[in-house]
mmCIF file of all heavy atoms in Angstrom:
data_model
loop_
_atom_site.group_PDB
_atom_site.id
_atom_site.type_symbol
_atom_site.label_atom_id
_atom_site.label_comp_id
_atom_site.label_asym_id
_atom_site.label_seq_id
_atom_site.Cartn_x
_atom_site.Cartn_y
_atom_site.Cartn_z
ATOM 1 N N LYS A 257 0.870 8.017 -19.721
ATOM 2 C CA LYS A 257 1.978 8.797 -19.158
ATOM 3 C C LYS A 257 3.218 7.901 -19.004
ATOM 4 O O LYS A 257 4.336 8.308 -19.334
ATOM 5 C CB LYS A 257 1.572 9.376 -17.798
ATOM 6 C CG LYS A 257 2.306 10.628 -17.403
ATOM 7 C CD LYS A 257 1.851 11.124 -16.041
ATOM 8 C CE LYS A 257 2.719 10.562 -14.932
ATOM 9 N NZ LYS A 257 2.195 10.760 -13.592
ATOM 10 N N ILE A 258 2.984 6.704 -18.518
ATOM 11 C CA ILE A 258 4.099 5.761 -18.346
ATOM 12 C C ILE A 258 4.554 5.255 -19.712
ATOM 13 O O ILE A 258 5.749 5.161 -19.989
ATOM 14 C CB ILE A 258 3.661 4.581 -17.446
ATOM 15 C CG1 ILE A 258 3.469 5.060 -16.011
ATOM 16 C CG2 ILE A 258 4.678 3.447 -17.502
ATOM 17 C CD1 ILE A 258 2.859 4.018 -15.094
ATOM 18 N N GLY A 259 3.616 4.922 -20.566
ATOM 19 C CA GLY A 259 3.940 4.382 -21.889
ATOM 20 C C GLY A 259 3.931 2.864 -21.868
ATOM 21 O O GLY A 259 4.446 2.246 -20.931
ATOM 22 N N LEU A 260 3.353 2.262 -22.909
ATOM 23 C CA LEU A 260 3.250 0.804 -22.954
ATOM 24 C C LEU A 260 4.609 0.122 -22.876
ATOM 25 O O LEU A 260 4.768 -0.895 -22.191
ATOM 26 C CB LEU A 260 2.530 0.363 -24.242
ATOM 27 C CG LEU A 260 0.999 0.432 -24.241
ATOM 28 C CD1 LEU A 260 0.449 -0.085 -25.554
ATOM 29 C CD2 LEU A 260 0.418 -0.376 -23.070
ATOM 30 N N GLU A 261 5.589 0.695 -23.576
ATOM 31 C CA GLU A 261 6.922 0.076 -23.583
ATOM 32 C C GLU A 261 7.467 -0.106 -22.174
ATOM 33 O O GLU A 261 7.968 -1.175 -21.809
ATOM 34 C CB GLU A 261 7.907 0.970 -24.367
ATOM 35 C CG GLU A 261 7.648 1.062 -25.845
ATOM 36 C CD GLU A 261 7.922 -0.262 -26.554
ATOM 37 O OE1 GLU A 261 8.972 -0.866 -26.289
ATOM 38 O OE2 GLU A 261 7.053 -0.686 -27.364
ATOM 39 N N ARG A 262 7.379 0.978 -21.389
ATOM 40 C CA ARG A 262 7.914 0.922 -20.028
ATOM 41 C C ARG A 262 7.090 -0.004 -19.156
ATOM 42 O O ARG A 262 7.617 -0.689 -18.284
ATOM 43 C CB ARG A 262 7.938 2.316 -19.398
ATOM 44 C CG ARG A 262 9.063 3.192 -19.906
ATOM 45 C CD ARG A 262 9.042 4.512 -19.190
ATOM 46 N NE ARG A 262 9.658 4.432 -17.880
ATOM 47 C CZ ARG A 262 9.361 5.259 -16.863
ATOM 48 N NH1 ARG A 262 8.454 6.187 -17.010
ATOM 49 N NH2 ARG A 262 9.990 5.131 -15.713
ATOM 50 N N LEU A 263 5.784 -0.011 -19.394
ATOM 51 C CA LEU A 263 4.911 -0.875 -18.608
ATOM 52 C C LEU A 263 5.262 -2.342 -18.875
ATOM 53 O O LEU A 263 5.379 -3.151 -17.948
ATOM 54 C CB LEU A 263 3.462 -0.581 -19.001
ATOM 55 C CG LEU A 263 2.365 -0.877 -17.986
ATOM 56 C CD1 LEU A 263 2.673 -0.253 -16.636
ATOM 57 C CD2 LEU A 263 1.028 -0.339 -18.503
ATOM 58 N N PHE A 264 5.449 -2.664 -20.145
ATOM 59 C CA PHE A 264 5.836 -4.038 -20.501
ATOM 60 C C PHE A 264 7.193 -4.392 -19.864
ATOM 61 O O PHE A 264 7.384 -5.505 -19.352
ATOM 62 C CB PHE A 264 5.932 -4.200 -22.020
ATOM 63 C CG PHE A 264 4.620 -4.033 -22.752
ATOM 64 C CD1 PHE A 264 4.599 -3.675 -24.100
ATOM 65 C CD2 PHE A 264 3.399 -4.229 -22.113
ATOM 66 C CE1 PHE A 264 3.399 -3.523 -24.792
ATOM 67 C CE2 PHE A 264 2.187 -4.072 -22.794
ATOM 68 C CZ PHE A 264 2.196 -3.718 -24.140
ATOM 69 N N ALA A 265 8.106 -3.450 -19.905
ATOM 70 C CA ALA A 265 9.436 -3.698 -19.329
ATOM 71 C C ALA A 265 9.337 -3.934 -17.826
ATOM 72 O O ALA A 265 10.015 -4.797 -17.262
ATOM 73 C CB ALA A 265 10.364 -2.521 -19.632
ATOM 74 N N HIS A 266 8.470 -3.159 -17.182
ATOM 75 C CA HIS A 266 8.247 -3.325 -15.733
ATOM 76 C C HIS A 266 7.727 -4.734 -15.426
ATOM 77 O O HIS A 266 8.272 -5.437 -14.567
ATOM 78 C CB HIS A 266 7.246 -2.267 -15.261
ATOM 79 C CG HIS A 266 6.530 -2.579 -13.986
ATOM 80 N ND1 HIS A 266 7.146 -2.542 -12.751
ATOM 81 C CD2 HIS A 266 5.237 -2.951 -13.738
ATOM 82 C CE1 HIS A 266 6.264 -2.873 -11.809
ATOM 83 N NE2 HIS A 266 5.105 -3.121 -12.376
ATOM 84 N N TYR A 267 6.688 -5.150 -16.147
ATOM 85 C CA TYR A 267 6.123 -6.476 -15.865
ATOM 86 C C TYR A 267 7.123 -7.581 -16.191
ATOM 87 O O TYR A 267 7.185 -8.602 -15.491
ATOM 88 C CB TYR A 267 4.826 -6.684 -16.650
ATOM 89 C CG TYR A 267 3.645 -5.949 -16.060
ATOM 90 C CD1 TYR A 267 2.934 -4.997 -16.794
ATOM 91 C CD2 TYR A 267 3.245 -6.183 -14.753
ATOM 92 C CE1 TYR A 267 1.852 -4.320 -16.247
ATOM 93 C CE2 TYR A 267 2.175 -5.508 -14.189
ATOM 94 C CZ TYR A 267 1.480 -4.573 -14.946
ATOM 95 O OH TYR A 267 0.422 -3.907 -14.391
ATOM 96 N N ALA A 268 7.888 -7.381 -17.247
ATOM 97 C CA ALA A 268 8.894 -8.386 -17.604
ATOM 98 C C ALA A 268 9.920 -8.514 -16.481
ATOM 99 O O ALA A 268 10.311 -9.628 -16.091
ATOM 100 C CB ALA A 268 9.578 -8.003 -18.920
ATOM 101 N N LEU A 269 10.324 -7.369 -15.929
ATOM 102 C CA LEU A 269 11.348 -7.410 -14.882
ATOM 103 C C LEU A 269 10.816 -8.016 -13.591
ATOM 104 O O LEU A 269 11.428 -8.926 -13.024
ATOM 105 C CB LEU A 269 11.892 -5.994 -14.637
ATOM 106 C CG LEU A 269 12.940 -5.874 -13.525
ATOM 107 C CD1 LEU A 269 14.140 -6.786 -13.784
ATOM 108 C CD2 LEU A 269 13.407 -4.428 -13.350
ATOM 109 N N VAL A 270 9.661 -7.534 -13.118
ATOM 110 C CA VAL A 270 9.191 -8.037 -11.820
ATOM 111 C C VAL A 270 8.794 -9.514 -11.909
ATOM 112 O O VAL A 270 9.015 -10.275 -10.965
ATOM 113 C CB VAL A 270 8.039 -7.201 -11.210
ATOM 114 C CG1 VAL A 270 8.513 -5.794 -10.867
ATOM 115 C CG2 VAL A 270 6.824 -7.156 -12.090
ATOM 116 N N SER A 271 8.238 -9.930 -13.040
ATOM 117 C CA SER A 271 7.855 -11.342 -13.143
ATOM 118 C C SER A 271 9.093 -12.224 -13.214
ATOM 119 O O SER A 271 9.152 -13.291 -12.599
ATOM 120 C CB SER A 271 6.943 -11.580 -14.346
ATOM 121 O OG SER A 271 7.603 -11.280 -15.552
ATOM 122 N N ARG A 272 10.119 -11.750 -13.926
ATOM 123 C CA ARG A 272 11.347 -12.539 -14.004
ATOM 124 C C ARG A 272 12.014 -12.625 -12.615
ATOM 125 O O ARG A 272 12.464 -13.698 -12.188
ATOM 126 C CB ARG A 272 12.321 -11.892 -15.000
ATOM 127 C CG ARG A 272 13.468 -12.803 -15.331
ATOM 128 C CD ARG A 272 14.548 -12.147 -16.181
ATOM 129 N NE ARG A 272 15.844 -12.612 -15.718
ATOM 130 C CZ ARG A 272 16.965 -11.908 -15.798
ATOM 131 N NH1 ARG A 272 16.968 -10.707 -16.361
ATOM 132 N NH2 ARG A 272 18.087 -12.406 -15.333
ATOM 133 N N ALA A 273 12.055 -11.497 -11.922
ATOM 134 C CA ALA A 273 12.665 -11.476 -10.589
ATOM 135 C C ALA A 273 11.930 -12.441 -9.667
ATOM 136 O O ALA A 273 12.552 -13.216 -8.925
ATOM 137 C CB ALA A 273 12.643 -10.055 -10.024
ATOM 138 N N CYS A 274 10.613 -12.415 -9.723
ATOM 139 C CA CYS A 274 9.815 -13.268 -8.838
ATOM 140 C C CYS A 274 10.021 -14.744 -9.196
ATOM 141 O O CYS A 274 10.214 -15.584 -8.308
ATOM 142 C CB CYS A 274 8.353 -12.870 -8.940
ATOM 143 S SG CYS A 274 7.342 -13.512 -7.603
ATOM 144 N N ARG A 275 10.005 -15.039 -10.482
ATOM 145 C CA ARG A 275 10.217 -16.424 -10.924
ATOM 146 C C ARG A 275 11.567 -16.953 -10.479
ATOM 147 O O ARG A 275 11.676 -18.046 -9.927
ATOM 148 C CB ARG A 275 10.169 -16.486 -12.456
ATOM 149 C CG ARG A 275 8.851 -16.835 -13.049
ATOM 150 C CD ARG A 275 8.945 -17.265 -14.489
ATOM 151 N NE ARG A 275 9.815 -16.504 -15.345
ATOM 152 C CZ ARG A 275 9.482 -15.385 -15.995
ATOM 153 N NH1 ARG A 275 8.271 -14.875 -15.865
ATOM 154 N NH2 ARG A 275 10.342 -14.771 -16.766
ATOM 155 N N GLU A 276 12.592 -16.157 -10.733
ATOM 156 C CA GLU A 276 13.930 -16.637 -10.361
ATOM 157 C C GLU A 276 14.080 -16.730 -8.841
ATOM 158 O O GLU A 276 14.814 -17.579 -8.339
ATOM 159 C CB GLU A 276 15.003 -15.743 -10.994
ATOM 160 C CG GLU A 276 14.928 -15.813 -12.510
ATOM 161 C CD GLU A 276 16.294 -15.716 -13.176
ATOM 162 O OE1 GLU A 276 17.328 -15.890 -12.496
ATOM 163 O OE2 GLU A 276 16.312 -15.448 -14.391
ATOM 164 N N GLY A 277 13.378 -15.862 -8.138
ATOM 165 C CA GLY A 277 13.358 -15.948 -6.677
ATOM 166 C C GLY A 277 12.760 -17.276 -6.229
ATOM 167 O O GLY A 277 13.289 -17.949 -5.341
ATOM 168 N N VAL A 278 11.678 -17.655 -6.869
ATOM 169 C CA VAL A 278 11.007 -18.918 -6.532
ATOM 170 C C VAL A 278 11.941 -20.102 -6.820
ATOM 171 O O VAL A 278 12.088 -21.024 -6.004
ATOM 172 C CB VAL A 278 9.688 -19.052 -7.321
ATOM 173 C CG1 VAL A 278 9.128 -20.458 -7.228
ATOM 174 C CG2 VAL A 278 8.664 -18.034 -6.808
ATOM 175 N N LEU A 279 12.597 -20.055 -7.975
ATOM 176 C CA LEU A 279 13.528 -21.136 -8.326
ATOM 177 C C LEU A 279 14.693 -21.212 -7.332
ATOM 178 O O LEU A 279 15.132 -22.300 -6.965
ATOM 179 C CB LEU A 279 14.064 -20.927 -9.753
ATOM 180 C CG LEU A 279 13.017 -21.012 -10.881
ATOM 181 C CD1 LEU A 279 13.630 -20.633 -12.218
ATOM 182 C CD2 LEU A 279 12.392 -22.409 -10.948
#
Side-chain angles (χ1 to χ4, degrees):
Chain A
K257 206 180 92 192
I258 290 172
L260 279 182
E261 292 292 314
R262 284 183 80 205
L263 205 51
F264 295 157
H266 158 72
Y267 284 121
L269 178 57
V270 295
S271 63
R272 192 187 141 209
C274 196
R275 265 197 317 274
E276 297 215 16
V278 168
L279 295 173

